[in-house]
Each structure stands twice: as structure tokens, then as C-alpha cells.
Amino acid sequence: MNVRTSRDPDQLTAAMLAGDRVALARLITLVENRTLRSAEIMSRIYARCGRAAVIGITGPPGAGKSTITSCLIEHLRARDKTVGVVAIDPSSPFTGGSVLGDRIRMQKHFLDPGVFIRSLSTRGSHGGLARAGRDVARLFDAFGKDFVIIETVGVGQTELDIMEVADTVVVVLVPEAGDTIQVMKAGLLEIANVFVVNKADREGATRMRTELEMMLHLKASESAADEWNVPVLLTKAAKGEGTDALLEACLEHAACLSARSGGKRLGRRARGEVLEICEEELMRRLRARAGEDPIAAKLDAVTAGDLDPYQAALDLLGDPAALATLISSNGRD
Amino acid sequence: MNVRTSRDPDQLTAAMLAGDRVALARLITLVENRTLRSAEIMSRIYARCGRAAVIGITGPPGAGKSTITSCLIEHLRARDKTVGVVAIDPSSPFTGGSVLGDRIRMQKHFLDPGVFIRSLSTRGSHGGLARAGRDVARLFDAFGKDFVIIETVGVGQTELDIMEVADTVVVVLVPEAGDTIQVMKAGLLEIANVFVVNKADREGATRMRTELEMMLHLKASESAADEWNVPVLLTKAAKGEGTDALLEACLEHAACLSARSGGKRLGRRARGEVLEICEEELMRRLRARAGEDPIAAKLDAVTAGDLDPYQAALDLLGDPAALATLISSNGRD
């Protein structure tokens, strides 16, 4: 077998679990394509997941997430830990989803065999990017990486969904990015296990920390006793300052988490995942069938202006036979 | 009929199209709930859509989007134009999706009958928030609002999806929010019809404008001739400076758009919408059925650790009879 060309899930997963990096890279590509094969691959490696500590890094564009990720990699490597990085880049027609800046920032890690970096630019259907991000994180986990870092580009609903796979969520902010009420609005207060105010030499950094701490205090007094107090750290990641303390905070949170869950990281969301995987595949089938009747006829009527899109959908949804056709597998994958 | 309590789409849409604000509010609530009734309502009003100019306001948290929205409302009202505002707030367990700050900022418009403001905090299934935002924008359009403004909280994949319903997309940035390469990474360069560098009295505003203009120039030279040149405007929205010019730019873009399309705003995406509406409803049915067999049995096996979530999904997806049950309507809505 040649892992460079194989598409066979059994061969590839066996090679990957034996430590073959090329097989890992191939599997990531297959998983990124989001066919039913993704689920087959993931099912084969699922039992090997749950050992890595997964750190999610999110926050608004420009907060310094890539720089912080780069620093964390450095600190982890200094401690002889291996790292997988998933950079979530919604693809853009213009940039093709990868931007020079990242490459430059991450360059020093690319030649290190203890680090595996992968940018995901899958756009595809609803939820596809979030699921692809989670699956790639698990591939790294199963491969044996000690740590997996997931970094998002922006901060929005999809990004919040992706963070659900992380054990420890780090929210990175910069002092000038507006009042802290924005943090609440974007739903960041709920998901953050660690807050970072980066570019801390800028005006307003200390005030932002105080505000965040007040908000966290209010939140803690509203909910039941939690054994983890969300810290607010100041960093100047471009100079490497404060990032070691950030890693320490992540490690402490991971320890707190495993003490609480007894190490069962994966169980929390497993039921919801079954539904998500079904949804994603049903959407894929629906789209693959859009060129065939009965849906093609409805779409043409909509284009001709004879039918509005809502009524066209209602017609299809009200017809069990049409629906069964639409979501049947066409055998191709 | 009492529009305050009616749930009948026919009665409510008739009252709304006759100018009843209470009926409009009821319809928005029904549409926010994302049942099949949403599609029925939207189908009834679809023919009345396409007259309003829809302006989308997006950008990272804290860039000043709410302040800019408030200024635009003021300028539009000064010109005797009516406005509907959809504020997209992914719901958060802590804030419940609405935050005091907004209310304060928008307060002066709440008593104006020419302005209708609605915050959407639907979270729900994948794509639900984006579709709810579009549907509410259309309800405002059909109601007869001259302008509809859609404002997002953050900037991510869902937010980009929502912007697809806008005729004119305004991307709001602040000078300190990082280098402009972040704009490219978040896919904002592709969707912006107008760029705003807000808080323009801060350091770096002019440099940011120059960088954006360079990037836009590069992009224009790559693609075919476009009749619209994306402007980069400087504003200090908190002082009301520059926002009138922003409105002018939006109006010019709208004029350019109708000259090009001959006024057919809605046609562009109609085919894709049929699929999206089917997807959303299928997801809703799937989730409504999760408590029944065959899916309940699989979910229990996953919880018990006897089955991984991927295999459970594969089992269900490979069984046409199970699938047909899962996506059948249960008649309740």
C-alpha cells in the first residue's frame, strides 16, 4: 500500500495510528472533504481520542491570536510536548483561505516534526466548517499529539460552535477593541475559560482587565459554585511576554477539568454529535440531488418567477415521496 | 380577529400588509420560532418584497456598529424615510441576547413610529439565525419600510451568511483592531460594498484607509471590470461625523445596483434559498424526532459507550426506512 495515494479508510487509519504523518495528512484532506467517508474515518479512530488537551483560541480579528498560538507552541515544545494546530480560515474567493501573514508567523514551527499545522478553509454547508475543525482536532488527538490548538479567524456563531470541541477556551482581546459590553454581546463571557488582554502596553489594558473581572464576578454570583475562576491575563505576545503564564493557566484549567470529569472528555456532547453528523450528510445529499427532479423542476419554476422559494420548499417538504428521493444516498461518495 | 393573539398566517399577513404594527410584531415572533409556519408566512408576503434598500452593517465587536446604525437611522428619518432594524444577537445564556448598551444607544428611536427595531436572539440549529435575520428583513420590506438595516454583533461565518440578504454591505473597522491583513482573513474584503474606518481620530486611521484602498485596488485589478468602486470612509460616529457621507455612499451603491439588476433584488439567490429552507425544516424534524426510535435507541447506545457517535450516525444514514421516519413531519408545528 502507498499511503500517498490510498483513499482506503482502513489502510490510512492503521498507518496513521502507527505514527505515519503522511497518512495523517491524507486523512485530514479526506475529512476536510466532508463526505460520508469522514464519518467512517472518525468512527475508526474515535476510541483513540480523548487523551490530548484541546485548547481553543478565539477573539476578534487582529487581537493577536496567531501570535499567541505561536508562543504557546514554543512553550509546549520547550516542555517536550507535541502539538497539532488547526487554523480555521473560512475560505474566501480572493485569498483562497490562506494568508501570507500566518505562514510567516508560524514558519519557525513548520520544520519541527513535533508540530503539525493545518489550515482549514472548507466553507461548504451550514456547520461543515465547525464539524471539520472538530474532526481534525480529533485526528491530531488520535495521532498522539499531547496538545491540540484550534485557532479561529473571527468571532461569530460558527466560531462559538467550533469552540465546543475545546477543553479550554482562551478568548483574546485587545484594549482598544471597544467596551467590554461587546464581549458579552458576542457570547464570549460564557465560553471563556481564560481571558487574555493582549497588546497590554496599550492604553486601557488595565481598565479592560478590571471590567472583565467585574463581569466575571457578577456572572459567578449568578450561577452555582464553579470550581474554576476564569483568570484575566495581560500579555504582549509580540514580545513573548505573559504567554508562559497563559500556558500555565491552560494547564491548570485542564487539570481542574479532568479532576471533575474523571477524564471523560468526549462524552459530554456525543448525543448531539449523532444528530449533527446526520444533518450534515442529509444536507450533502440534498445538494447533490438538486440537479434532479423533483427538486430541479421546482428550482426552475422559482427561477422563472412562477413560484416563490418558500412555496417551492413547502411543496417539497409536504411530499414524503419527494423527500425520500431527495435524501437517499446516490451511492457515489 | 384580534391580531394580538392570532396565530393565523392569513389573518396576520393581511393585517400587516394593511399597515398594522402589532401584526408585524406577531409575525416577526412567529418567524423567529422557525417552524414550518415561517415559510408559510414568508410565501404569503414574498411578492411584496424587493422594494426596500437593505443595508448590512458588520465588523468586529466594538467597532461602533450600533452607533453607526443609530446615526444612519437619524439621517434617514431626517429625509422622511422609514426604517426597519434587525439586530442579530446570538443568544447567550447569560445575557439572554439583549444588552443594556444597545437599548440606551437606540432609545431615541424607539418612540418614533417610522422606526421599527427588533433584536433577534434565536440560536437554534445551523443556519437558523441567518435565515431568521433574512426573513425579518423581508417582513420589514413587505411592511413598506423604505430602508432595512441589519446589524451583526461579531464577524464570522454566520454573519457573512446573513449579509447575503443585504443589497449594500458596510464593513466597520477601527484603526487599532490590527493590521488590515485580518480583514482579508475574515473574508470581509469580498463582501464589503463600503468600508468605514470608525473612531477615525485614533492613531493609524489614515494608514488603515490607505492599506484598505491598496487591497481594494489589487482586488479590482484581479477581477473583471466592476461598475462600483468600494469607498473607504473615515467616521467618528460617536460625534456623528462622517455618517452622512456614509449614507450617501449607501444610496449611491443602491442606485448602482438597481441600474445593473433592473430592480430584481430578490432573484439572485432564490434557487439556493429553496434548498436552505428544506434543510432547515429537515433539521427541525430530525431534532423533534430525537426522542423516538430508531434514533433514541442509537443515542442511548452512544451515551452508554457501546457505540461511537459517528457509527451511530452511519447506521441511521444507511437505513432508508429509519431516515424516512426521522424526516417525516409529525403534524405538530
Side-chain angles (χ1 to χ4, degrees), chain B residues 82-325:
Chain B
T82 56
V83 190
V85 179
V86 192
I88 309 284
D89 246 84
S91 88
S92 95
F94 181 50
T95 65
S98 70
V99 165
L100 195 63
D102 271 331
R103 308 271 164 196
I104 292 167
R105 268 188 281 257
M106 296 282 185
Q107 209 167 30
K108 56 185 165 192
H109 305 300
F110 270 111
L111 295 173
D112 176 351
V115 180
F116 200 117
I117 298 173
R118 183 69 175 242
S119 280
L120 285 191
S121 54
T122 321
R123 191 166 155 156
S125 56
H126 301 309
L129 186 59
R131 286 221 56 84
R134 294 180 196 177
D135 285 352
V136 175
R138 285 183 177 157
L139 284 172
F140 284 139
D141 184 356
F143 186 70
K145 293 292 179 201
D146 301 312
F147 285 81
V148 177
I149 301 179
I150 305 178
E151 185 202 324
T152 70
V153 160
V155 53
Q157 193 54 53
T158 304
E159 291 67 26
L160 296 184
D161 288 347
I162 294 168
M163 286 298 124
E164 286 188 10
V165 83
D167 300 309
T168 302
V169 175
V170 178
V171 173
V172 183
L173 302 167
V174 275
E176 304 90 341
D179 43 316
T180 36
I181 213 155
Q182 305 292 342
V183 173
M184 292 168 65
K185 285 176 61 183
L188 296 175
L189 197 64
E190 287 69 35
I191 63 160
N193 302 120
V194 179
F195 269 112
V196 170
V197 179
N198 191 30
K199 307 186 183 176
D201 41 356
R202 292 192 181 173
E203 200 192 320
T206 319
R207 187 174 58 92
M208 184 173 227
R209 177 165 66 176
T210 310
E211 285 177 4
L212 286 169
E213 283 170 344
M214 275 176 53
M215 279 171 19
L216 289 164
H217 185 71
L218 279 170
K219 181 177 166 252
S221 64
E222 274 197 359
S223 56
D226 198 350
E227 52 271 47
W228 177 252
N229 287 312
V230 178
V232 183
L233 306 175
L234 297 178
T235 61
K236 297 175 212 163
K239 299 172 186 164
E241 290 177 32
T243 52
D244 206 24
L246 169 59
L247 177 59
E248 281 302 330
C250 293
L251 295 176
E252 278 169 38
H253 180 260
C256 174
L257 206 65
S258 25
R260 187 167 52 190
S261 67
K264 278 196 232 165
R265 293 180 198 274
L266 292 167
R268 287 176 290 164
R269 296 194 60 263
R271 289 175 75 97
E273 289 203 54
V274 179
L275 296 173
E276 287 176 10
I277 299 159
C278 287
E279 286 177 359
E280 196 189 0
E281 171 63 12
L282 291 180
M283 301 308 85
R284 197 183 66 79
R285 291 182 185 177
L286 191 69
R287 297 205 170 245
R289 294 279 180 158
E292 302 165 28
D293 280 335
I295 200 163
K298 290 288 177 193
L299 291 177
D300 290 343
V302 167
T303 306
D306 298 332
L307 195 61
D308 73 76
Y310 296 92
Q311 191 56 51
L314 286 167
D315 291 350
L316 291 166
L317 290 163
D319 179 349
L323 274 189
T325 313

Side-chain angles (χ1 to χ4, degrees), chain A:
Chain A
M1 173 198 72
N2 185 345
V3 291
R4 275 168 186 78
T5 54
S6 174
R7 286 172 59 88
D8 181 78
D10 279 322
Q11 290 182 330
L12 286 171
T13 50
M16 183 274 260
L17 293 175
D20 187 327
R21 283 171 66 93
V22 175
L24 173 62
R26 292 274 310 149
L27 287 169
I28 291 175
T29 302
L30 291 175
V31 159
E32 219 184 332
N33 292 341
R34 309 311 297 154
T35 65
L36 211 50
R37 183 164 288 127
S38 317
E40 288 169 18
I41 291 165
M42 295 311 297
S43 176
R44 278 173 178 75
I45 60 115
Y46 192 81
R48 298 283 284 266
C49 295
R51 290 178 303 173
V54 183
I55 301 174
I57 314 270
T58 192
K65 298 183 293 296
S66 295
T67 316
I68 281 177
T69 301
S70 189
C71 292
L72 288 179
I73 296 171
E74 212 157 308
H75 296 315
L76 286 166
R77 294 301 293 142
R79 296 170 189 219
D80 268 333
K81 300 294 182 189
T82 57
V83 190
V85 179
V86 192
I88 309 283
D89 244 87
S91 89
S92 97
F94 180 51
T95 64
S98 68
V99 165
L100 194 63
D102 272 330
R103 308 274 163 192
I104 293 166
R105 269 188 281 257
M106 296 284 184
Q107 208 167 30
K108 56 186 163 191
H109 305 300
F110 271 110
L111 295 173
D112 177 351
V115 181
F116 201 118
I117 298 173
R118 183 69 173 242
S119 280
L120 284 191
S121 55
T122 321
R123 191 167 154 156
S125 56
H126 302 309
L129 186 60
R131 287 222 55 85
R134 295 181 196 175
D135 285 353
V136 174
R138 285 183 178 159
L139 284 172
F140 284 139
D141 183 356
F143 185 69
K145 293 292 178 200
D146 300 312
F147 285 80
V148 177
I149 302 180
I150 305 178
E151 183 202 325
T152 70
V153 160
V155 53
Q157 193 53 53
T158 304
E159 291 67 26
L160 296 184
D161 288 347
I162 294 169
M163 285 299 124
E164 286 188 11
V165 82
D167 300 308
T168 302
V169 175
V170 178
V171 173
V172 184
L173 301 167
V174 276
E176 304 91 340
D179 43 318
T180 37
I181 213 155
Q182 306 292 341
V183 173
M184 289 169 66
K185 285 175 63 182
L188 297 174
L189 196 63
E190 286 70 34
I191 63 161
N193 303 118
V194 179
F195 269 113
V196 170
V197 179
N198 191 31
K199 307 185 185 179
D201 41 357
R202 292 193 180 171
E203 200 192 319
T206 319
R207 187 173 57 93
M208 185 172 226
R209 177 165 66 176
T210 310
E211 286 176 7
L212 285 169
E213 283 170 345
M214 275 175 55
M215 281 172 15
L216 288 164
H217 185 71
L218 279 169
K219 181 177 165 252
S221 62
E222 275 199 356
S223 56
D226 197 351
E227 52 270 48
W228 177 251
N229 286 313
V230 178
V232 183
L233 306 175
L234 297 178
T235 61
K236 299 175 211 166
K239 298 172 187 164
E241 290 176 32
T243 52
D244 205 25
L246 169 59
L247 178 58
E248 280 304 330
C250 292
L251 296 175
E252 278 170 36
H253 180 260
C256 175
L257 206 65
S258 25
R260 186 167 53 189
S261 67
K264 276 198 232 164
R265 293 180 196 274
L266 293 166
R268 288 176 289 162
R269 297 194 61 264
R271 288 175 77 98
E273 288 203 56
V274 179
L275 296 173
E276 287 175 10
I277 300 160
C278 287
E279 285 177 358
E280 196 188 0
E281 172 63 11
L282 290 180
M283 301 307 87
R284 198 183 67 78
R285 291 182 184 177
L286 191 70
R287 300 212 166 238
R289 292 280 179 159
E292 303 165 26
D293 280 334
I295 200 163
K298 290 288 177 196
L299 292 177
D300 290 343
V302 167
T303 306
D306 299 331
L307 195 62
D308 74 75
Y310 296 92
Q311 190 56 51
L314 287 167
D315 291 350
L316 291 166
L317 290 164
D319 178 350
L323 275 189
T325 312
L326 284 176
I327 56 146
S328 63
S329 168
N330 59 11
R332 283 169 272 147
D333 217 351

